[in-house]
């Protein structure tokens, strides 16, 4: 009979397996009890009717007269131990009764203390193993839950870029099941070999700088469809700096690219409209400038003509006037004012001034 001890093994925080220890009671107790406790004594440990450990010579009067029993509980097992002095020990003792009883009690106490200590240590180890197991299971459940609940596709690969895990979003995006894509090179997801090698160069350049790689790169689905993807690729390392693998998150940016193309078309069309409108406004401005220049020229010519007429009237002492019959308004030239002895604008022209 014996017991098993499981010890979990981790690489960093990643569970990497466990170590199993197998302990047989006979082999474990024999060196302890033989070398420490049983010098000159006989001991028998039983689990029910089965003898776990026995160290004794002949069973005779000594066992019946001096034998002591002790009940030992270990985990969910109950053992019985019987110890009595050997014949050689009895011959060496001068005062047999008190010394033997004292020695027997000490041996039994030591045996009990060792058994209790052994049982507690084993119980603590078992509790620690069970706690680690629960924590590992809980951590695994949390990680699996988070991994599967992400909207983005997530792939985990070996350092040589062979896929080991893919979440549900990744399976839906790429069209592969986890069984189909497991241990498959990521080259199968790229457009061609050239794309695969270029992708590797870019992520290596980022890894060499201790950074994650942020890329926009086209990929190929299982059905052969090519689509644009946005990648964030990180290198997984252990506590000693060793490379464990690669994790890549992926977004399908087909819709975003289509929207960007549509926006680019609208921007280009708007630029064409602005250019056409600018050309139209330029033409209109040129026409307006020509018209303004023509009107300014006409106005200057008119003013020059009026000036020449006024000057001619002044020299000839002649004037002219105009009468609007409908409104009754009368306008005088400057020389009319002078002929009637008024300054220009001094009076309001009227028909009665002619009389």
């Amino acid at each position: 009979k014996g017991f098993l001890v499981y010890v979990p093994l981790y690489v960093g925080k990643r569970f990497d397996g466990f170590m199993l220890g197998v302990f047989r009671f006979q082999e474990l107790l024999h060196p302890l009890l033989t070398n420490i406790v049983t010098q000159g004594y006989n001991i028998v440990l039983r689990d029910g009717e089965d003898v776990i450990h026995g160290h004794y010579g002949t069973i005779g009067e000594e066992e019946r007269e001096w034998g002591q029993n002790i009940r030992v509980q270990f985990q969910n097992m109950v053992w019985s131990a019987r110890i009595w002095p050997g014949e050689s020990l009895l011959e060496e003792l001068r005062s047999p009764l008190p010394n033997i009883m004292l020695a027997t009690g000490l041996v039994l106490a030591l045996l009990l203390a060792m058994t209790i200590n052994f049982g507690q240590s084993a119980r603590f180890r078992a509790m620690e193993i069970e706690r680690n197991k629960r924590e590992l299971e809980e951590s695994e459940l949390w990680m699996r839950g988070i991994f599967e609940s992400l909207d983005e596709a997530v792939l985990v690969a070996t350092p040589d870029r062979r896929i080991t895990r893919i979440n549900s979003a990744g399976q839906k995006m790429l069209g592969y099941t986890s069984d189909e894509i497991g241990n498959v090179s990521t080259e199968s997801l790229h457009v061609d070999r050239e794309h695969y090698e270029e992708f590797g160069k870019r992520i290596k350049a980022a890894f060499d700088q201790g950074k994650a790689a942020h890329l926009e790169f086209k990929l190929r689905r299982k059905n052969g469809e090519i689509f644009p993807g946005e990648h964030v690729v990180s290198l997984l390392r252990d506590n000693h700096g060793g490379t464990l693998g690669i994790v890549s998150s992926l977004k399908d940016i087909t819709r975003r690219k289509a929207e960007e193309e549509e926006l680019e078309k609208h921007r280009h069309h708007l630029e064409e409209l602005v250019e056409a409108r600018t050309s139209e406004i330029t033409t209109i401005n040129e026409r307006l400038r020509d018209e303004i220049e023509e009107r300014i020229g006409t106005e200057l010519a008119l003013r020059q003509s009026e000036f020449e007429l006024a000057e001619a009237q002044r020299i000839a002492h002649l004037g002219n006037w105009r009468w609007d019959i409908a409104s009754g308004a009368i306008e005088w030239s400057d020389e009319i004012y002078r002929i009637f002895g008024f300054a220009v604008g001094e009076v309001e022209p009227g028909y009665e001034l002619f009389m």
Side-chain angles (χ1 to χ4, degrees), residues 12 65 158 162 201 205 229:
E65 184 175 357
T158 60
R162 302 190 72 83
K201 291 178 183 178

Side-chain angles (χ1 to χ4, degrees), residues 10 130-140:
Y10 294 89
E130 182 64 25
R131 184 175 64 253
N132 291 337
K133 181 181 178 182
R134 286 197 306 269
E135 291 177 354
L136 178 62
E137 291 175 349
E138 291 175 0
S139 177
E140 179 68 18

Side-chain angles (χ1 to χ4, degrees), residues 163 166-168 170-172 174-182 184 222:
I163 299 170
I166 181 172
N167 66 350
S168 299
Q171 296 175 47
K172 182 179 180 181
L174 298 171
Y176 291 95
T177 65
S178 57
D179 292 335
E180 290 174 332
I181 207 169
V184 174
K222 180 182 177 181

Side-chain angles (χ1 to χ4, degrees), residues 122-167:
R123 180 166 59 85
F124 289 150
R125 286 196 298 270
M127 290 172 61
E128 184 178 359
I129 291 171
E130 182 64 25
R131 184 175 64 253
N132 291 337
K133 181 181 178 182
R134 286 197 306 269
E135 291 177 354
L136 178 62
E137 291 175 349
E138 291 175 0
S139 177
E140 179 68 18
L141 287 173
W142 273 104
M143 293 301 295
R144 187 183 301 116
I146 295 172
F147 186 72
E148 293 297 334
S149 64
L150 292 174
D151 293 332
E152 298 180 2
V154 180
L155 293 87
V156 181
T158 60
D160 61 350
R161 299 164 67 187
R162 302 190 72 83
I163 299 170
T164 58
R165 294 188 66 179
I166 181 172
N167 66 350

Side-chain angles (χ1 to χ4, degrees), residues 250-266:
L250 170 64
K251 288 183 180 178
D252 183 346
I253 57 174
T254 301
R255 182 175 179 179
R256 192 182 81 189
K257 285 296 184 182
E259 291 174 350
E260 289 176 355
E261 290 177 2
E262 188 68 20
L263 286 174
E264 180 63 23
K265 291 179 182 178
H266 285 295

Side-chain angles (χ1 to χ4, degrees), residues 296-346:
I296 291 174
T298 302
E299 184 176 351
L300 290 174
L302 180 60
R303 288 181 180 178
Q304 182 66 27
S305 177
E306 290 176 348
F307 174 76
E308 292 174 353
L309 176 61
E311 188 67 15
Q313 287 181 348
R314 185 184 66 81
I315 294 172
H317 203 54
L318 296 174
N320 69 292
W321 56 276
R322 184 173 58 190
W323 178 29
D324 187 344
I325 299 177
S327 64
I330 297 176
E331 294 180 2
W332 288 355
S333 68
D334 292 347
E335 193 60 27
I336 291 293
Y337 282 97
R338 297 188 189 99
I339 291 172
F340 284 101
F342 299 108
V344 177
E346 181 180 354

Side-chain angles (χ1 to χ4, degrees), residues 155-159 161 203 207 233-236 244-248:
L155 293 87
V156 181
T158 60
R161 299 164 67 187
I203 63 173
F207 295 163
V233 189
S234 304
L235 192 62
L236 298 176
L244 298 176
I246 299 171
V247 60
S248 175

